[in-house]
Amino acid sequence: MTDLERLLALVPPPADPVDTDTDWTRVEEALGLSLPSEFVELARRYGRGAFCEKFSCFDPEEMIHKGRGWLADKQCILQDDGEECPHPLHPEPGGLVLWGSDSVGGALCWLTEPADSPERWKTVYWTIDDEFEYPEGGVAAALTGLIEDLLARMRQDGQDVDGAWFDPYRRNVHVYLQLAETEGAPPYERRLRVLREHLAPTSARGGSKGADEDRQDHFAAAQDQWRLIYETASGHQIRVAYPPGDDARVRNALLTAIDAMGCRVKGVLPLYGTAHWPELE
């Protein structure tokens, strides 16, 4: 099994990936380097999006117009702290080239040596804390290791997570439903179970529990098209993100589930200035 096949087995690619007709030769011409064939195939299989809401691969525009400047900024910050980057930046010989990032500002790079053998390039993970990690293998192996480590940490922290996932890029509708418990409402665990049962099948995507027992549970429904957070950590609410065409389905499913949970909607907070379900506000 190849490294890419292992990644595909760990994280199933989307049935309809986004932006797969990408012309990577523009990146190669701009950088003066050939790209690893594995990276191009990975981009074709997954398209634009994010692994486990944590790791993303850059598209051509980002690699051409953003990559060098972002690494240069990180290098300057490092120097301001009296430290030096242990590697040069492209176009210096063997310099770092950015191919992806994490969700908090860490950089996933190639160490481009030897320049004419991209299949042999190693990955450097330059974290937000300015630590340098060196995952084994190329892009697919590096992502596999990083994702496996992420899932292991989530489970060690007691988070409920069914497995790895990939979310294709999409401009979703975002709605926050602020809830109030009706008389005799069951405890949180039961309400969460009822919510997921009404939206089944669902897949758990982690969460958190505070010292004061405030909770936040992440999960996906509707074949991973709907992304939900049920919580008491930032007020008692359900956050949902979904494709614009699913508005009526989401509304009907959630209102039915909320009633079965022993709750009612006391307010709707639409994001990005778009009003949804105004009669519930």
Side-chain angles (χ1 to χ4, degrees):
M1 182 180 288
T2 67
D3 290 340
L4 180 55
E5 288 170 339
R6 291 187 185 91
L7 178 63
L8 292 168
L10 176 66
V11 191
D16 188 20
V18 176
D19 293 344
T20 57
D21 57 345
T22 300
D23 181 10
W24 290 103
T25 59
R26 295 194 302 112
V27 179
E28 294 177 323
E29 291 170 357
L31 296 177
L33 296 167
S34 296
L35 298 179
S37 59
E38 177 193 68
F39 175 80
V40 176
E41 178 61 15
L42 186 154
R44 186 186 71 81
R45 297 295 296 271
Y46 286 97
R48 188 179 173 195
F51 295 87
C52 299
E53 302 175 20
K54 180 70 173 180
F55 303 106
S56 301
C57 295
F58 276 16
D59 62 29
E61 295 303 317
E62 290 172 314
M63 290 184 73
I64 293 171
H65 300 295
K66 181 179 179 180
R68 178 65 169 81
W70 190 12
L71 291 182
D73 288 344
K74 287 178 71 69
Q75 184 184 54
C76 288
I77 294 171
L78 199 61
Q79 290 171 342
D80 288 344
D81 292 336
E83 301 181 40
E84 292 293 332
C85 178
H87 305 290
L89 307 185
H90 182 75
E92 295 182 44
L96 296 176
V97 168
L98 192 65
W99 60 260
S101 65
D102 67 20
S103 58
V104 295
L108 292 163
C109 314
W110 285 301
L111 190 59
T112 57
E113 54 181 12
D116 58 353
S117 299
E119 310 304 331
R120 295 168 57 191
W121 292 349
K122 297 184 182 301
T123 291
V124 178
Y125 181 20
W126 187 346
T127 73
I128 187 62
D129 297 319
D130 286 328
E131 296 177 352
F132 291 83
E133 301 177 4
Y134 301 89
E136 293 291 330
V139 171
L143 284 172
T144 298
L146 290 168
I147 292 166
E148 288 177 337
D149 289 347
L150 173 65
L151 295 179
R153 290 196 304 272
M154 292 173 71
R155 289 169 176 147
Q156 187 175 18
D157 290 341
Q159 298 184 45
D160 183 14
V161 56
D162 286 329
W165 68 92
F166 181 88
D167 283 327
Y169 173 79
R170 183 176 60 232
R171 292 188 181 276
N172 281 324
V173 174
H174 294 259
V175 177
Y176 289 10
L177 299 174
Q178 299 170 324
L179 305 181
E181 299 171 30
T182 59
E183 185 176 354
Y188 181 94
E189 286 285 358
R190 175 59 183 161
R191 297 197 304 267
L192 174 63
R193 185 160 61 250
V194 169
L195 175 60
R196 292 188 59 177
E197 286 172 353
H198 274 74
L199 300 178
T202 64
S203 55
R205 293 186 170 187
S208 63
K209 180 185 291 186
D212 53 1
E213 296 302 312
D214 282 341
R215 290 277 299 273
Q216 190 177 83
D217 287 271
H218 301 234
F219 63 96
Q223 298 180 320
D224 291 344
Q225 295 294 300
W226 304 352
R227 305 167 199 170
L228 297 103
I229 300 173
Y230 180 46
E231 67 171 329
T232 56
S234 300
H236 187 196
Q237 62 183 350
I238 296 172
R239 308 187 210 175
V240 59
Y242 57 89
D246 285 0
D247 199 85
R249 288 179 58 215
V250 173
R251 172 197 164 94
N252 292 337
L254 281 181
L255 292 183
T256 301
I258 289 167
D259 183 63
M261 293 163 63
C263 298
R264 63 177 178 83
V265 177
K266 70 175 183 179
V268 180
L269 179 62
L271 299 189
Y272 312 122
T274 302
H276 285 272
W277 315 352
E279 70 279 12
L280 299 178
E281 295 179 0

